[in-house]
Amino acid sequence: MGSKFTPAPIRLRQVALALEVDRVLTLAQVVRHYEVREETVLSHFPHREVQFKPLSNSSPVKRTTFITREPERLLWEPAWSLAHDASTAELRYLLGAPRQEWNRAQGHGTSRPDALWRRPGGQVVAVEYDGGYPPAITREKFQAFSDRRTFQGLVWGTPSRARTAHLAERHGGAGRSFLVVDITTTTSAGRAATATAGGGRKTG
């Protein structure tokens, strides 16, 4: 991540490298994690301001600006999908996972996590962002990610503190982390976690 002591061109390069892995970030995330001025970010990257619901049908609509290196993604990808990508990226920052250890999943399906965190010791951690899955899908995903032959840990993020606490109580266990994800504010928000999947390091 950047800091105010890192020259602005280097911080912008760090953002560009991060977007190669994360695909989409919000303007708030870039400001928070890389300490780049909003006007500088907007002048260097394709962006789009949209409205979306962080938690499917039960949360108020929020407005935020999404940043990417692929302008076509901003044209055809729906707001909920942009938010899902940015929220999955936020899990990487919360975990402190370097770009080199992070693999975004290709395609969709209840047995496929949003990302894989391949840790140096050989552990593969399934990473899932939940913007309000129905109960049946939630159960299927927890069951699929419980295969210890494939995954040696699980990180599950949601935008709701209440939902995070509920899922941690219902599905918590060794090697599982439950995190609160925020992609709309420029200051670090509190997070909830149980049964952590391991300590993090600085990301980029």
Side-chain angles (χ1 to χ4, degrees):
M1 292 184 290
S3 77
K4 60 185 178 181
F5 301 109
T6 305
I10 295 178
R11 279 179 272 162
L12 287 170
R13 177 59 177 164
Q14 290 173 338
V15 175
L17 290 172
L19 286 169
E20 290 182 1
V21 175
D22 298 324
R23 304 177 184 170
V24 177
L25 294 169
T26 65
L27 179 59
Q29 285 176 292
V30 174
V31 171
R32 185 198 316 161
H33 295 301
Y34 295 94
E35 298 191 37
V36 183
R37 295 171 63 89
E38 289 189 2
E39 56 269 29
T40 302
V41 178
L42 296 177
S43 68
H44 281 79
F45 296 98
H47 55 276
R48 174 187 169 199
E49 185 179 39
V50 300
Q51 294 186 119
F52 73 102
K53 286 189 174 184
L55 190 62
S56 61
N57 298 323
S58 62
S59 58
V61 172
K62 292 193 175 183
R63 179 176 290 275
T64 194
T65 298
F66 291 98
I67 306 296
T68 183
R69 296 185 69 180
E70 308 166 74
E72 64 276 10
R73 183 182 294 274
L74 298 175
L75 295 176
W76 58 259
E77 193 163 341
W80 68 265
S81 182
L82 294 171
H84 196 98
D85 278 350
S87 297
T88 301
E90 186 63 20
L91 287 169
R92 183 171 78 84
Y93 290 96
L94 290 172
L95 293 167
R99 298 189 310 276
Q100 297 82 354
E101 297 175 12
W102 196 259
N103 296 103
R104 289 299 309 273
Q106 300 295 322
H108 300 282
T110 56
S111 63
R112 187 189 300 272
D114 291 318
L116 296 176
W117 181 17
R118 300 183 183 277
R119 308 199 66 208
Q123 294 176 313
V124 178
V125 178
V127 180
E128 185 71 17
Y129 175 73
D130 170 8
Y133 293 131
I137 297 297
T138 301
R139 288 193 298 270
E140 287 182 31
K141 284 182 173 289
F142 273 108
Q143 183 175 1
F145 303 153
S146 295
D147 183 356
R148 300 295 290 183
R149 295 168 299 178
T150 305
F151 309 112
Q152 290 75 57
L154 170 63
V155 175
W156 192 282
T158 91
S160 163
R161 193 170 297 277
R163 182 174 178 82
T164 301
H166 168 75
L167 292 175
E169 181 177 358
R170 187 175 181 85
H171 298 283
R176 292 184 171 184
S177 298
F178 296 82
L179 305 177
V180 179
V181 176
D182 172 29
I183 62 171
T184 61
T185 62
T186 56
T187 56
S188 298
R191 67 179 185 178
T194 63
T196 60
R201 284 151 290 156
K202 284 188 177 293
T203 65

